[in-house]
Amino acid sequence: MAKFSPKKFIKESVNELRKKIKDKRALVATSGGVDSTVCAILSKMAIGDKLVVFFIDDGLMREKEPEQVRDFLATKGINLEIWNVEDTFFEALKGKTDPEEKRKAFRDTFYKILSQAVRSYSVDFLIQGTIAADIVETQKGIKTQHNVLSQIGVNPAFYGLTIIEPLRELYKNQVRQVAKVLGLPKKIYDRKPFPGPGLATRVIGEVTRDRVEKIRIATKIVEEELIEKNIFQAFPVLFSDKATGIVDGKRLLGDIIAIRAVKSEDALTAQPVKILWKRLYKIRDRILKEVPGVVKVLYDITPKPPSTIEYI
Ligand code: XMP
């Protein structure tokens, strides 16, 4: 197989986008991750002002994420259209505890909002950052990734959309190479993957505002403490079960948080990272101090397979 050339890919995909979209308008929904940011930049290069870059503020993002995405894209001359629809997402997720039901509720809400945006901005095309691993895993039935519409039996036409997926043949490391050649900063091209349904995937059981807020604080801690390049992903997960603890001399039923940190090439397989006790203790101490109601902190040592990287 010929060696992947990011330069050639950029040239060809910009041409391809121009050819497909012609003088019509397109929308790209970005999350600030490397895939959708690369999509936004390539699309901007291809069609300029005929592109709408859209951000769904679903209330499931990490701390200050919407503002950071907006500020970064502004440096690239892109004005981010942000819709704050967190009430709609929490309403859709209310009472749902089954992982696939949660994913479905997220997906349905996501596409409902997106189709409203498509109508409201009068665009004909939706550009998505689906990459090859998303397609492989969805085809294998490992995961119902929310961004592979046709694979999950959703007809894009139902939402009035023509979908373009410029990155569908690339693997993550190739997308990172493209991002680098596009001149994006390290914090984008080296950005660790973060799932589309956001912190909803980091909360086992019901996704409530209160539980998401707990995991948001814990996520900040884990990301601050485990930032190195050889860690593919590092994150905490809030369990739905409770455990007995002792707080202020009294027995108290409190929360359990697991920390997961994995090494991986392409997310198809993964190995737990060996972390020194000293570092784990520091993370444990911060979680116990900064996240209210936590009485147990665990470290997950399972590889993928048989585990997945995420918990839902
Ligand atoms: P799993 O948990 O299936 O995750 O081993 C593999 C990789 O995919 C990410 N992931 C998602 N990404 N939407 C996404 O965009 C999703 O619904 C989703 N679920 C999992 C996960 O973080 C890991 O990098």
Side-chain angles (χ1 to χ4, degrees):
M1 214 163 66
K3 195 173 176 302
F4 175 67
S5 159
K7 259 196 182 147
K8 191 162 163 242
F9 173 83
I10 293 167
K11 202 169 155 221
E12 285 175 1
S13 57
V14 168
N15 279 341
E16 185 91 346
L17 283 162
R18 267 190 206 130
K19 241 200 260 165
K20 278 192 182 149
I21 303 170
K22 298 197 177 79
D23 56 356
K24 296 200 165 140
R25 286 160 55 81
L27 181 142
V28 56
T30 184
S31 62
V34 60
D35 306 342
S36 61
T37 304
V38 164
C39 262
I41 305 283
L42 291 175
S43 309
K44 181 81 180 169
M45 286 163 73
I47 63 165
D49 289 346
K50 285 176 288 172
L51 179 75
V52 177
V53 184
F54 181 62
F55 184 93
I56 297 179
D57 187 356
D58 54 16
L60 302 166
M61 297 276 165
R62 289 164 291 189
E63 198 178 283
K64 302 216 166 61
E65 207 159 4
E67 296 88 333
Q68 283 165 4
V69 178
R70 182 197 58 203
D71 294 349
F72 168 69
L73 288 176
T75 68
K76 296 284 160 194
I78 294 176
N79 169 47
L80 188 63
E81 298 285 333
I82 303 180
W83 284 15
N84 185 323
V85 283
E86 57 176 87
D87 292 349
T88 317
F89 276 88
F90 281 110
E91 192 52 43
L93 289 162
K94 200 169 174 177
K96 301 209 166 48
T97 54
D98 176 78
E100 288 307 317
E101 267 184 37
K102 281 159 63 175
R103 282 182 172 276
K104 184 173 182 319
F106 179 88
R107 201 161 62 222
D108 290 351
T109 312
F110 185 90
Y111 283 106
K112 195 177 90 189
I113 304 286
L114 207 51
S115 63
Q116 283 170 8
V118 162
R119 280 196 299 274
S120 134
Y121 294 107
S122 310
V123 300
D124 305 282
F125 293 91
L126 176 68
I127 302 167
Q128 281 198 303
T130 316
I131 63 168
D134 298 335
I135 297 171
V136 172
E137 293 221 310
T138 309
Q139 274 166 347
K140 282 193 192 157
I142 296 172
K143 193 57 68 69
T144 45
Q145 295 279 7
H146 85 269
N147 51 359
V148 191
L149 276 185
S150 52
Q151 306 283 339
I152 54 176
V154 177
N155 177 5
F158 175 79
Y159 294 98
L161 303 171
T162 302
I163 310 272
I164 308 179
E165 293 171 323
L167 312 181
R168 60 180 298 125
E169 281 170 15
L170 304 196
Y171 279 87
K172 201 82 183 183
N173 63 339
Q174 296 174 319
V175 182
R176 292 193 201 285
Q177 291 175 48
V178 171
K180 213 168 167 176
V181 173
L182 283 171
L184 301 185
K186 189 170 161 50
K187 68 171 192 230
I188 305 276
Y189 70 73
D190 260 356
R191 195 175 160 105
K192 299 187 192 298
F194 185 66
L199 297 175
T201 60
R202 307 273 162 92
V203 164
I204 303 178
E206 191 180 3
V207 182
T208 61
R209 284 173 200 274
D210 177 50
R211 305 190 74 221
V212 167
E213 193 43 43
K214 285 186 188 185
I215 209 66
R216 184 175 284 123
I217 303 169
T219 300
K220 182 169 182 278
I221 297 169
V222 173
E223 290 188 353
E224 280 171 3
E225 300 295 337
L226 298 172
I227 49 167
E228 50 270 62
K229 194 171 181 327
N230 71 342
I231 298 183
F232 183 78
Q233 265 174 294
F235 56 87
V237 179
L238 179 65
F239 286 10
S240 50
D241 281 340
K242 299 262 181 179
T244 303
I246 304 171
V247 179
D248 299 331
K250 284 201 193 91
R251 286 166 78 80
L252 172 95
L253 213 50
D255 284 316
I256 309 171
I257 283 187
I259 301 160
R260 182 139 172 84
V262 294
K263 289 186 179 195
S264 175
E265 281 298 317
D266 50 14
L268 298 176
T269 60
Q271 290 296 325
V273 180
K274 286 184 192 161
I275 300 176
L276 292 175
W277 282 113
K278 203 174 149 201
R279 297 186 71 197
L280 279 174
Y281 283 0
K282 184 167 180 215
I283 299 170
R284 170 203 67 191
D285 289 345
R286 285 194 62 189
I287 289 178
L288 290 174
K289 187 163 167 246
E290 297 171 41
V291 187
V294 178
V295 295
K296 268 197 199 299
V297 179
L298 316 175
Y299 187 60
D300 180 343
I301 55 166
T302 341
K304 173 182 181 175
S307 191
T308 54
I309 293 177
E310 305 286 346
Y311 276 59
I312 78 159

